[in-house]
Amino acid sequence: MSSFACWNLSLTLLVLFCSPGSGEKAFEVYIRSEKQIVKATEAWRVNCSTSCAAPEIGGLETPTNKLMLEEDPHGKWIEFLVSNATVDTVLLCHFTCSGKQQAESFNIRVYEPPAQVTLKLQPPRVFMGEAFTIECKVPSVKPLESLTLSLLCGRETLKNQTFGGAETVPEEVIAIFNSTALKKDGLNFSCQAELDLRPHGGSLYRRISEYQSLEVYEIRQDNQMVIIIVVVSILLFLFVTSVLLCFILGQHWHRRRTGTYGVLAAWRRLPRALRGR
């Protein structure tokens, strides 16, 4: 069983143990986190406190690293430095007062901003009116539901793609945009990755790929005439060649039926006197 699975089981048992059987709570437990969403390598402060006048014991349960920074002389609050949260986790503050234990939890989300964005054009050269594909790729980013990949042409946003939450974060997030070349001038495209953590108390992270130009060609009228002339010439050559071949084969077949030369054979059949004249 993994460490996080063991932590979830321990957390469930602790919550059940701390839940009162009946009536209202005899005292309150509070948890205050410096941040709601943190980066994987980040450290932040968490304060656990209680309304109990003389708590017997208190603490913070977390699967991450923790370090106690300061404690109230009467044990009514404790401040911790928490770090090394690699996945979304739950912090649990607990206190014991007059033999009864209460707890309060707080959900921490972990984010990973876009470090690099790449763009791939396929194909990089097209004729006007031809379809092409643009692939935007960004390494592991979380949370996915806060990520938006945008296709830019110059400073204009052409298309956006958002992503829903997933149980496992993929190693690479890919968005594919299909388009058609409608202008003969070259177009400069770029991809933008935007991770908006403001609804979670975080910041807005944005990164843009390098520009890539799509080369668009237009088939000119004179080129079309050259192509037509070449095709007609080839067809005419094939036609003449086929007629000549038919004539030669017909002559060969006729010679095989009448002899080598019909006129020479008839000349030889004439009497010698007539041939002398």
Side-chain angles (χ1 to χ4, degrees):
M1 183 181 295
S2 65
S3 59
F4 279 100
C6 294
W7 157 247
N8 290 331
L9 178 60
S10 301
L11 178 62
T12 303
L13 294 175
L14 183 58
V15 171
L16 292 175
F17 178 76
C18 294
S19 300
S22 60
E24 297 183 356
K25 295 181 180 179
F27 63 97
E28 297 289 340
V29 174
Y30 311 99
I31 180 171
R32 187 175 68 254
S33 176
E34 183 183 9
K35 297 184 178 181
Q36 301 178 20
I37 186 165
V38 298
K39 198 174 180 180
T41 58
E42 193 174 1
W44 73 103
R45 293 173 179 265
V46 176
N47 184 280
C48 296
S49 60
T50 178
S51 61
C52 177
E56 300 167 12
I57 190 174
L60 174 67
E61 297 297 329
T62 172
T64 63
N65 296 339
K66 65 178 180 179
L67 175 66
M68 189 177 70
L69 298 177
E70 194 175 358
E71 183 178 10
D72 178 61
H74 302 289
K76 296 188 64 174
W77 57 265
I78 311 173
E79 189 169 74
F80 297 89
L81 183 68
V82 183
S83 60
N84 197 32
T86 57
V87 295
D88 295 351
T89 187
V90 178
L91 306 178
L92 190 71
C93 284
H94 61 87
F95 284 92
T96 301
C97 185
S98 301
K100 294 183 179 180
Q101 191 176 46
Q102 301 291 349
E104 189 67 28
S105 62
F106 187 87
N107 294 325
I108 287 291
R109 304 204 66 183
V110 177
Y111 74 92
E112 194 69 37
Q116 183 183 13
V117 185
T118 57
L119 180 149
K120 180 180 179 182
L121 285 172
Q122 186 64 33
R125 303 175 183 86
V126 295
F127 287 103
M128 192 167 62
E130 187 178 355
F132 63 96
T133 299
I134 300 177
E135 179 185 271
C136 297
K137 185 184 299 183
V138 59
S140 180
V141 176
K142 55 185 177 183
L144 282 181
E145 62 269 21
S146 300
L147 175 66
T148 300
L149 285 180
S150 303
L151 174 62
L152 307 179
C153 182
R155 295 185 177 181
E156 179 185 359
T157 301
L158 301 181
K159 297 180 182 179
N160 293 319
Q161 183 171 339
T162 56
F163 301 85
E167 294 183 1
T168 58
V169 179
E171 294 183 359
E172 290 182 328
V173 182
I174 300 175
I176 297 178
F177 303 100
N178 298 314
S179 188
T180 303
L182 300 179
K183 299 179 181 179
K184 69 175 183 178
D185 297 330
L187 303 175
N188 293 324
F189 291 100
S190 62
C191 292
Q192 175 182 277
E194 190 175 80
L195 189 68
D196 190 0
L197 303 178
R198 290 174 295 184
H200 306 289
S203 303
L204 176 65
Y205 298 89
R206 184 183 292 119
R207 187 169 291 274
I208 302 177
S209 69
E210 294 182 357
Y211 284 96
Q212 288 195 24
S213 296
L214 176 71
E215 298 180 16
V216 183
Y217 299 98
E218 182 181 9
I219 301 180
R220 297 180 180 178
Q221 192 67 24
D222 52 354
N223 291 341
Q224 292 180 344
M225 290 301 299
V226 171
I227 294 174
I228 293 174
I229 293 174
V230 171
V231 172
V232 171
S233 300
I234 293 174
L235 293 176
L236 183 61
F237 172 77
L238 293 176
F239 174 76
V240 173
T241 303
S242 62
V243 170
L244 291 176
L245 287 175
C246 290
F247 177 76
I248 294 172
L249 292 175
Q251 288 294 319
H252 179 70
W253 176 79
H254 180 71
R255 289 172 184 172
R256 291 187 61 183
R257 295 194 58 185
T258 60
T260 305
Y261 294 99
V263 176
L264 180 60
W267 174 261
R268 289 176 177 175
R269 286 196 298 270
L270 286 175
R272 181 173 298 179
L274 293 175
R275 284 185 290 173
R277 293 180 184 178

